[in-house]
Amino acid sequence: MKNSNWLLAIALLISMVGFDAMAVEKPGAYKISGSEGKEIVSDEGSKLDWQKTFEKALNWTQATDHCGSLGLGGNKDWRLPTRKELMTIVKYRLNNPASDFPEMPAVYFWSASTSSESEGFAWGINFRNGSLNNYDKASTQYTRCVRSH
């Protein structure tokens, strides 16, 4: 009886968190190119190019505008990442920062994804622990731009 309770508990846990959360995270496959201050970090796993540097203390509108006007590596299609894209550089096995992205600070970063609960809020990730949170768009967070490659 104890074995069946144990198996039931495992099955319940998997159904609650899903198989993805139980999988072992792979380290990022990052390749850095470009000159200092204008470097691009390519992630072969997600097929995304990231701005290596980041902007501090931008509200959500400023962050969106900054990424939309960025010209880096001869490309003009930079944008604020969606929350799913931003989550591709989170590594929950790590802490402070919860990422193996090159030189990642343990701070909050904006995503382009607006909250479904309120147009005045957007999703962001706290890279200290990898938590996904809603933030008032008037507040200031860090910003790192992305593009598909």
Side-chain angles (χ1 to χ4, degrees):
M1 187 69 169
K2 287 184 180 182
N3 284 342
S4 64
N5 288 343
W6 176 247
L7 291 173
L8 181 60
I10 290 173
L12 181 60
L13 176 66
I14 290 171
S15 69
M16 287 174 22
V17 299
F19 286 103
D20 291 341
M22 303 282 291
V24 176
E25 292 177 348
K26 297 177 185 173
Y30 303 119
K31 178 184 171 193
I32 301 172
S33 61
S35 59
E36 188 174 335
K38 296 181 180 182
E39 294 159 306
I40 297 170
V41 180
S42 296
D43 182 355
E44 290 306 315
S46 66
K47 303 294 185 209
L48 295 171
D49 288 336
W50 295 89
Q51 175 188 23
K52 185 177 180 206
T53 61
F54 48 84
E55 301 299 320
K56 299 178 183 179
L58 297 180
N59 68 37
W60 188 83
T61 300
Q62 291 168 331
T64 301
D65 291 347
H66 165 73
C67 289
S69 65
L70 185 65
L72 188 60
N75 298 297
K76 295 276 189 182
D77 59 344
W78 294 92
R79 57 187 166 70
L80 200 57
T82 66
R83 71 179 180 190
K84 288 182 180 181
E85 289 170 334
L86 197 54
M87 290 175 73
T88 66
I89 59 175
V90 173
K91 301 293 185 252
Y92 291 102
R93 64 182 161 71
L94 301 175
N95 193 23
N96 205 24
S99 181
D100 59 358
F101 190 90
E103 300 173 37
M104 174 61 82
V107 296
Y108 299 88
F109 277 86
W110 281 121
S111 86
S113 304
T114 295
S115 171
S116 61
E117 297 172 10
S118 172
E119 285 292 316
F121 286 77
W123 290 98
I125 293 182
N126 176 356
F127 277 92
R128 192 175 115 262
N129 59 17
S131 63
L132 180 66
N133 301 294
N134 268 319
Y135 301 103
D136 186 320
K137 289 180 177 180
S139 67
T140 59
Q141 313 296 340
Y142 282 50
T143 301
R144 177 171 276 134
C145 306
V146 71
R147 65 179 290 277
S148 299
H149 72 254

